Amino acid sequence: MTETIHKGKIFADTSSLEEIAEIKALLGYLDGVTTNPSNFVKTLMDGTERVYDQDELLELYKKRIQEIRSILPTGSISVEVYADHKTSAEEMIVQAEEMNTWIEGAHIKLPTIPAGLVAAKELVGKGMNVNLTLVFTEQQAAAVYVATIGARRGQVYISPFIGRLDDTGMRGLDLVKNLVQLYQKGDSHVEILAASIRTGTQLAAAISAGADIVTSYPAAIKEWVGLSSSDLQSKTEDGLKSIPYEDTPLHQSFSVYNISHPLVDSGLKRFADDWRGLIKS
Ligand code: G3P
């Protein structure tokens, strides 16, 4: 690995204790972990098709987050609220306040939809940490910035999903570059946490693009560790369509931004379906 790729913080995008311990040992450090409903329920699937009560599943999530904290005593740990388009800001706040008691300093993951922004504003005002997820546009990023003005650095993360944009033929990495440029206009209270990163080269590229933090799957982190300088310098045509930078104001009311995107809808549905899939009907 080269010196330059040590600039960004590295988080593991998993709820697996074994994977977290393995990556921490491999790197000799680990700056944080991002859990979500999908990667958590995956760790419970043992081929028995067992289902749970809602409270039981939540209790298991709490236990897992506390176990992760014991592996990572000081790193950031993201804990995601259950949300779909019908979930109100108040319901997200209630969940967030409960999750915030599970461990010290959790980053509460909220979807970047109108209710999620209202919840973020309220939670940040109470001193809690947040991670605004499912981000696919500059408009969402501008709205996150405005909704969390006044937060200290480290309190607010924003998670642009690189791989899911790539899946649609758009270059997700361009969104990271655009958010870096956008946030240069303001203070630095929002940190860019590049997510949905599936390969080592994507991980390296996200750090080079200026992401403050990169979260990735253990397999991609292992691949990144094995990359040579020449691997990192070699450029291959990705065939993806560029996402142009559009100068977006950072001083409007956050409700004015157009933050809808089809990938937000499908992403919300995927997280909700994965969570509900393990609940007794
Ligand atoms: O942290 C969010 C990330 O896990 C989503 O990744 O591969 O499902 O797009 P992916």
Side-chain angles (χ1 to χ4, degrees), residues 13 34 36 39 109 133 161 163-164 167 195-198 215 217 270-271:
D13 198 5
T34 47
N36 62 48
N39 70 25
K109 266 171 118 172
T133 193
F161 274 29
R164 296 218 188 155
D167 292 342
S196 181
I197 290 178
R198 289 98 175 243
T215 190
Y217 298 126
R270 197 192 298 186
F271 283 147

Side-chain angles (χ1 to χ4, degrees), residues 15 44 47 73 75 79 88 94 105 119 122 126 132 138 147 149-150 172 181 207 210 219 235 237 242 248 260 270 272:
S15 291
L44 299 180
V79 187
S88 67
V94 168
E122 169 100 10
K126 291 179 173 177
L132 276 297
E138 262 179 64
I149 279 176
Q181 186 174 348
I207 295 172
K235 300 229 182 316
E237 181 48 56
S242 64
T248 308
S260 61
R270 197 192 298 186

Side-chain angles (χ1 to χ4, degrees), residues 96 104 107 124 128 131 177 179 181 190 222:
E104 183 80 26
H107 275 88
V124 162
M128 286 169 57
N131 175 357
K177 292 179 184 164
L179 300 198
Q181 186 174 348
V190 183
K222 286 190 218 167

Side-chain angles (χ1 to χ4, degrees), residues 103-268:
I103 54 166
E104 183 80 26
H107 275 88
I108 305 297
K109 266 171 118 172
L110 302 158
T112 309
I113 58 176
L117 289 170
V118 172
K121 184 176 169 63
E122 169 100 10
L123 295 170
V124 162
K126 291 179 173 177
M128 286 169 57
N129 301 327
V130 294
N131 175 357
L132 276 297
T133 193
L134 289 170
V135 170
F136 302 97
T137 66
E138 262 179 64
Q139 291 276 324
Q140 284 180 292
V144 168
Y145 179 95
V146 173
T148 58
I149 279 176
R152 62 182 155 70
R153 187 163 169 84
Q155 206 182 346
V156 182
Y157 296 156
I158 184 169
S159 295
F161 274 29
I162 295 183
R164 296 218 188 155
L165 280 163
D166 287 358
D167 292 342
T168 67
M170 304 302 289
R171 188 176 301 111
L173 200 60
D174 286 350
L175 176 65
V176 174
K177 292 179 184 164
N178 294 345
L179 300 198
V180 170
Q181 186 174 348
L182 176 71
Y183 286 161
Q184 275 165 358
K185 297 197 303 178
D187 61 29
S188 55
H189 79 272
V190 183
E191 287 181 68
I192 300 169
L193 194 179
S196 181
I197 290 178
R198 289 98 175 243
T199 68
T201 41
Q202 260 181 341
L203 195 164
I207 295 172
S208 299
D212 299 291
I213 308 162
V214 174
T215 190
S216 190
Y217 298 126
I221 297 175
K222 286 190 218 167
E223 189 191 328
W224 170 65
V225 167
L227 291 175
S228 65
S229 319
S230 57
D231 289 331
L232 292 170
Q233 276 151 15
S234 65
K235 300 229 182 316
T236 48
E237 181 48 56
D238 61 14
L240 297 168
K241 194 159 178 272
S242 64
I243 303 176
Y245 177 73
E246 286 171 22
D247 200 30
T248 308
L250 289 178
H251 50 72
Q252 309 182 113
S253 160
F254 66 83
S255 54
V256 169
Y257 297 96
N258 173 11
I259 61 167
S260 61
H261 192 283
L263 288 175
V264 175
D265 301 334
S266 56
L268 259 186

Side-chain angles (χ1 to χ4, degrees), residues 2-53:
T2 63
E3 277 304 306
T4 47
I5 60 176
H6 281 291
K7 274 196 307 190
K9 290 184 183 164
I10 304 296
F11 287 9
D13 198 5
T14 176
S15 291
S16 157
L17 299 177
E18 294 73 24
E19 289 182 344
I20 292 164
E22 186 189 4
I23 294 302
K24 188 181 173 193
L26 175 74
L27 298 176
Y29 67 93
L30 184 59
D31 299 302
V33 166
T34 47
T35 72
N36 62 48
S38 303
N39 70 25
F40 170 63
V41 300
K42 198 170 135 201
T43 66
L44 299 180
M45 290 180 181
D46 54 8
T48 59
E49 297 190 15
R50 187 168 166 205
V51 285
Y52 303 83
D53 292 330

